Amino acid sequence: MGRSRGRPEEPSAETFAVHGQFTYVEQETSAFNAPYAGANSLTPDRGAETVDVTLYLGAHLWPGAEGWIDAEIDQGFGLDNTLGVAGFPSGEDYKIGKNQPYLRLARVFVRQTLNLDDASQPVDAAANQLGGLRGTNRVVISVGKFGVTDIFDTNQYAHDPRMDFFNWAAIDAGSFDYAADAWGYTAGAAIEWYQRAWTLRGGLFDLSTVPNSVHLDPGFHEFQSLLELERRHELAGRAGRMLLTVFDSRGRMGLLDDAVQLAERGGTAVDIGAVRKYRGRAGASLDVEQQLAPDLGAFARLGKAAGNVESYEFTDIDRTASVGVSLQGTRWRRAGDTVGLAAINSGISAARERYLNAGGLGLLVGDGRLPHPGPEQIIETYYSIALSQAAHLGVDYQWINHPAFNRDRGPVSVVAVRLHAQF
């Protein structure tokens, strides 16, 4: 789910484009203290791997419009079938794993750009972006199937698990419960208005039929609305930007305390599905990126979402803070290399603590009980080695304290190797 990357942007003079990528990830957990475990617990000394291959096909359709189709082959599993940690250690993992490779259409969308004046800027050719020129002041409309985080909560230093950080709570705000199927994509529309140093974005997207489902609601009765304000700036001549993102999801969700109370009255296991009614879950996040030197950048995110209702699509985080830096290798004559370091602190509400302690299961977490809750704290560092202009080999280390907000388990180390190539 955390893999919806490859930002849809603006059209250009290119009339047709073909791009591709290949990514292989191998991850392993260390031994760690685990006196008990539940259905959604992380397992010590466990390894997993994923592979994905994507073909991006783009074409100019009519003045100002381009269309893209992304066909993807996936194979493999996340650690413990992508369970056990709220800030999950790999954004390349999907919530649905398979031993055999399988084909999916990850994105099928059209983007229309309306230039508002004659001022223009160059656009580099890339996956899901035709090269050429675009208006500096413009309106951009994207319609179809793509990822919410292709457009919202983007950050050049921490947003792409194929090239930079792995952790879900580093590449996006952990509390950003964005609309998506189990692979991280959805159907909907977004509109963006770029005007000088400001951008205003809005979107409407389909939710899953039930939380964390492989199927989107066919009637669009369960949906998410989004609003984002971006401000670009310069500090001491260095570029930066700030984004404020707000979401509101409307669907059949359960109140956490209702599920616990129903189980206590009936003497049954906690079942969030038994108390689902049509209601909303809202949240907001702040995303900052800032260049500090030509080869050095920093990022930070703060986020909070309603903690009385079940999480719907992304992960079990009610509040989060992350900060990090990204340094290119020019200082040691490896300009194509990148090293990154991030720290993440995430927490849950008192209602979610009671729900998990009663044996409830979240989207990713649920150790069967939670007598000693605590913040999930993560340190991540990676080094990406440029084998060539098109291929990178990366090594990644994450230290996770209180996995699944549980002081009784962990800390755990997660190491990973990543091979990525693109054209």
Side-chain angles (χ1 to χ4, degrees):
M1 178 162 170
R3 296 166 54 264
S4 52
R5 312 289 167 239
R7 168 178 171 77
E9 259 289 328
E10 294 75 17
S12 55
E14 231 183 350
T15 58
F16 186 76
V18 179
H19 296 274
Q21 76 83 30
F22 165 88
T23 305
Y24 168 82
V25 174
E26 174 78 24
Q27 271 194 327
E28 293 190 3
T29 59
S30 67
F32 63 90
N33 183 52
Y36 57 87
N40 286 7
S41 290
L42 191 69
T43 304
D45 293 311
R46 181 67 60 89
E49 58 85 22
T50 57
V51 178
D52 55 77
V53 181
T54 314
L55 180 66
Y56 307 89
L57 301 176
H60 176 76
L61 302 178
W62 56 79
E66 59 185 282
W68 286 90
I69 297 177
D70 297 358
E72 186 165 288
I73 297 175
D74 295 332
Q75 182 272 327
F77 297 85
L79 292 167
D80 284 290
N81 292 321
T82 318
L83 297 170
V85 186
F88 198 74
S90 176
E92 271 292 280
D93 292 343
Y94 359 96
K95 291 181 177 176
I96 301 297
K98 291 187 178 181
N99 286 315
Q100 301 301 321
Y102 59 98
L103 176 66
R104 300 183 61 255
L105 287 181
R107 297 179 181 87
V108 182
F109 68 91
V110 174
R111 181 190 306 120
Q112 176 72 57
T113 295
L114 306 172
N115 293 323
L116 303 179
D117 54 35
D118 293 332
S120 63
Q121 57 188 207
V123 182
D124 294 332
N128 293 324
Q129 179 176 282
L130 295 179
L133 295 174
R134 66 185 175 194
T136 303
N137 300 317
R138 62 196 184 277
V139 172
V140 181
I141 303 169
S142 302
V143 180
K145 180 185 180 184
F146 49 94
V148 169
T149 54
D150 291 347
I151 294 177
F152 296 87
D153 191 33
T154 63
N155 192 298
Q156 67 171 315
Y157 302 117
H159 197 58
D160 184 359
R162 290 170 177 162
M163 289 294 291
D164 52 66
F165 293 96
F166 269 157
N167 195 277
W168 287 21
I171 58 180
D172 296 298
S175 59
F176 185 16
D177 194 13
Y178 59 86
D181 61 14
W183 292 271
Y185 304 97
T186 185
I191 183 168
E192 306 172 80
W193 176 28
Y194 292 79
Q195 191 68 27
R196 299 182 181 88
W198 295 87
T199 301
L200 180 64
R201 299 182 178 90
L204 188 67
F205 297 94
D206 201 9
L207 290 174
S208 300
T209 52
V210 295
N212 199 27
S213 172
V214 299
H215 302 294
L216 297 173
D217 182 2
F220 222 94
H221 302 299
E222 299 179 283
F223 61 91
Q224 181 177 85
S225 54
L226 295 113
L227 191 66
E228 183 174 87
L229 182 64
E230 174 185 345
R231 176 68 163 87
R232 294 172 291 280
H233 61 262
E234 285 192 358
L235 293 178
R238 303 296 184 189
R241 63 181 191 140
M242 301 178 66
L243 300 91
L244 177 63
T245 309
V246 178
F247 74 86
D248 184 23
S249 299
R250 295 286 169 174
R252 293 185 66 253
M253 310 177 202
L255 295 179
L256 301 170
D257 282 342
D258 285 357
V260 174
Q261 292 165 10
L262 180 63
E264 289 175 345
R265 289 196 301 267
T268 59
V270 175
D271 178 11
I272 194 69
V275 296
R276 283 178 180 148
K277 295 182 180 179
Y278 195 82
R279 55 172 53 94
R281 184 175 192 243
S285 59
L286 179 66
D287 179 352
V288 180
E289 65 176 57
Q290 180 63 53
Q291 186 184 47
L292 304 178
D295 57 351
L296 178 64
F299 74 92
R301 286 187 175 97
L302 289 172
K304 191 172 189 313
N308 64 327
V309 64
E310 67 176 313
S311 301
Y312 205 91
E313 306 282 35
F314 186 39
T315 189
D316 308 283
I317 294 175
D318 295 319
R319 58 185 181 274
T320 188
S322 62
V323 62
V325 292
S326 175
L327 177 65
Q328 294 178 317
T330 52
R331 304 184 189 204
W332 55 93
R333 299 182 182 178
R334 294 286 304 175
D337 293 3
T338 307
V339 60
L341 176 66
I344 307 161
N345 188 292
S346 299
I348 53 175
S349 66
R352 204 172 305 278
E353 289 177 0
R354 291 190 291 269
Y355 171 78
L356 293 172
N357 193 37
L361 299 179
L363 295 177
L364 302 189
V365 305
D367 292 325
R369 51 192 168 114
L370 189 64
H372 304 111
E376 191 177 82
Q377 300 163 328
I378 300 171
I379 301 293
E380 178 178 6
T381 184
Y382 75 89
Y383 191 99
S384 178
I385 305 166
L387 303 178
S388 68
Q389 188 174 0
H392 287 76
L393 176 65
V395 291
D396 185 276
Y397 172 78
Q398 296 176 61
W399 178 82
I400 303 173
N401 195 31
H402 311 149
F405 313 105
N406 194 340
R407 293 181 184 272
D408 293 342
R409 291 170 52 87
V412 56
S413 293
V414 180
V415 295
V417 176
R418 168 180 58 196
L419 178 61
H420 173 73
Q422 63 185 33
F423 66 88

